[in-house]
Amino acid sequence: MVTSALSGADGGATAAVTTWQGWDAFVQQPQRAVLPADDPSWLQADREDYHCELAVMRTPSMDSVFTSVRRLLLLNRHQRAGARRGLIISGPATTGKTTTMMALGRSFQLSDRRRHPDHGERRPVLFTSVPPAATPKMLVSEFARFLGMPLADRLNQTQITNAVCDLLCELGTQLVLVDDVHLLDTRRRVGAETSDQLKYLAERIPATFVYSAIDIEAASLLHGVRGAQLAGRFKIFHHRPLPYATTQDKAVWDALVSGMEQLLRLRAHRPGSLLKHAAYLHTRTAGRIGSLSHLIREAALIALAEGTEAITKQLLSEVELDAAAEALSRPARTAQRTGGTPVAP
C-alpha cells in the first residue's frame, strides 16, 4: 500500500501521492543534480537524501506493462462504458508492482501535458489505493480525496459517486490506477459491495483502469459471478521476481545492478563492485526489485554514515532485508555455503 510522502526541498513531508498535489509533485519532480561524489559543494546531508531516493532502473516488465496499457488506451478510446478493458498487475510482494504502476502514470501524464500544454486543469491520471476494510463509500471517498473535493458529512455514497464521476469526466481523466485491490474480500458482504462500486466507477468514468494486487489469482476478487465479470474485462500481467537461470536472465539482472551502481555517489566505491556480486544480490533478494533497491540504498546510507564510502559484500551481508526476502533467500544461501541443492521454503 502506498502511504509514503514525497520529500520536499526543506526535508519536510509533502502530500501523499494519493492526493493530486502529491501525485503532481511526484510527476513534476525535477531531477536532482547529480554531482561527482567528491564535489565539495555536495554536503553529506545532500548525498544522504540522494541515496534515499535512488531510482529503480527500468526493467523489461515495466516495458511490457507500458506497451499493454498503451494498447488498451487505444482500444478503449471509443468504447462504450461496459466494454472497456483494463489490466491487473499481479505478483508477490516487493516485486515492483506499485513502482511500475507509478512509473506508468508518470509517463502517461507527462505525455498528456505535452499534447495539451494549455490545459492546466486537466487531471489525466488518478492514483489511489484501496483502504483496509474498505466500504463502497470509503473507496469513492478516496477518489474524491485525490481530487481535493470537500466532502460534507451529510453527503451519501450516491452523491459522492456522482460528483466524483462528473468531475473526472470534466477533467479529462483517461487513466485510473488503483493499488492493493487484493484487499477487497468479496467473500464478505462489504467486500463484495465495494468490488461492485469499483466496477460501477469503471463503467461511469471513460478511462482505462489499471489495478495492482498481490497474487490476484489467490484472492477472492476473481471468483464467483463478480469475479467472472472482472476476469472477462481485465488482462492479468504477472509481475514476477526476476529469474537468474539463463544467459538472458542474467543479462537483464546484471544490467539492473549495473544501472543502480552507476547512480551511486560514494567516494571510495570501486566501479563494478556491485556487478561482481550480481549473483549474490539475486540470491539475497530472491530477484525482487523492491528488496534490491532496499538493500543497495541502505548499504549506501550505512557507508555514508560510517565514513567507509564503499559498498562491499560484507556490508551487504549485514543489511537485514524484509522478512519475505530473507525467508526466500535463506535456503539458497545455505546451499551456497554447504555446496548442496537449495530447497524451496
Side-chain angles (χ1 to χ4, degrees):
M1 181 180 301
V2 177
T3 56
S4 59
L6 300 168
S7 296
D10 60 353
T14 58
V17 292
T18 48
T19 67
W20 170 252
Q21 293 85 352
W23 173 259
D24 197 51
F26 160 71
V27 171
Q28 303 297 334
Q29 189 174 24
Q31 187 172 5
R32 185 186 294 272
V34 183
L35 303 172
D38 57 357
D39 190 302
S41 66
W42 206 358
L43 302 178
Q44 174 87 352
D46 295 329
R47 288 198 297 142
E48 288 173 350
D49 289 345
Y50 168 79
H51 287 93
C52 282
E53 300 172 354
L54 202 63
V56 174
M57 305 303 293
R58 187 99 164 239
T59 66
S61 291
M62 285 188 181
D63 291 335
S64 296
V65 169
F66 282 28
T67 298
S68 292
V69 173
R70 279 196 297 268
R71 292 171 178 171
L72 287 173
L73 285 161
L74 287 172
L75 184 67
N76 290 335
R77 183 179 292 174
H78 299 295
Q79 290 289 335
R80 59 186 178 84
R84 284 191 291 270
R85 296 295 188 256
L87 182 73
I88 302 174
I89 305 171
S90 174
T94 72
T95 52
K97 299 180 299 300
T98 301
T99 299
T100 294
M101 195 159 62
M102 290 177 64
L104 167 69
R106 184 177 189 273
S107 176
F108 181 80
Q109 183 163 315
L110 290 173
S111 176
D112 186 85
R113 288 285 172 84
R114 289 191 292 270
R115 293 194 304 270
H116 305 280
D118 300 324
H119 294 272
E121 293 303 313
R122 287 178 63 85
R123 299 287 186 271
V125 177
L126 182 146
F127 181 91
T128 193
S129 182
V130 174
T135 65
K137 185 174 182 179
M138 286 169 62
L139 179 67
V140 75
S141 294
E142 287 297 305
F143 279 58
R145 188 171 74 91
F146 180 90
L147 296 168
M149 296 172 59
L151 295 179
D153 291 339
R154 66 178 181 276
L155 294 178
N156 60 36
Q157 174 190 325
T158 301
Q159 292 170 319
I160 298 172
T161 299
N162 288 336
V164 164
C165 293
D166 290 345
L167 183 55
L168 287 174
C169 290
E170 291 177 17
L171 294 173
T173 302
Q174 299 173 63
L175 187 62
V176 175
L177 308 173
V178 185
D179 203 10
D180 290 332
V181 297
H182 58 273
L183 293 177
L184 295 177
D185 186 355
T186 56
R187 294 167 300 184
R188 299 178 181 273
R189 178 178 175 180
V190 67
E193 291 174 347
T194 307
S195 173
D196 290 344
Q197 171 74 309
L198 192 57
K199 175 179 174 290
Y200 181 71
L201 290 168
E203 292 178 344
R204 284 281 306 272
I205 302 164
T208 296
F209 278 62
V210 178
Y211 304 151
S212 79
I214 294 177
D215 297 332
I216 190 65
E217 291 90 347
S220 62
L221 198 63
L222 295 183
H223 299 286
V225 175
R226 290 180 174 87
Q229 287 184 317
L230 187 67
R233 298 181 184 182
F234 279 76
K235 297 181 181 181
I236 298 178
F237 179 86
H238 296 282
H239 207 291
R240 299 185 176 94
L242 293 175
Y244 201 70
T246 68
T247 300
Q248 184 177 359
D249 293 340
K250 293 176 181 179
V252 169
W253 180 261
D254 290 357
L256 180 64
V257 171
S258 179
M260 295 191 71
E261 182 168 32
Q262 291 173 27
L263 295 174
L264 294 174
R265 291 299 182 269
L266 299 173
R267 290 169 182 160
H269 185 80
R270 299 176 62 180
S273 299
L274 284 186
L275 182 58
K276 183 174 69 174
H277 300 306
Y280 168 77
L281 289 168
H282 188 274
T283 300
R284 278 295 315 276
T285 62
R288 297 177 179 228
I289 296 174
S291 301
L292 177 68
S293 173
H294 171 185
L295 179 57
I296 293 176
R297 287 184 296 120
E298 186 169 338
L301 291 170
I302 293 171
L304 284 168
E306 296 184 350
T308 60
E309 296 278 349
I311 298 178
T312 63
K313 187 176 181 181
Q314 177 62 36
L315 176 55
L316 291 168
S317 70
E318 294 172 0
V319 176
E320 186 77 15
L321 287 178
D322 56 276
E326 293 290 351
L328 288 168
S329 68
R330 194 173 297 118
R333 292 158 67 187
T334 301
Q336 286 179 350
R337 289 195 299 270
T338 62
T341 301
V343 180

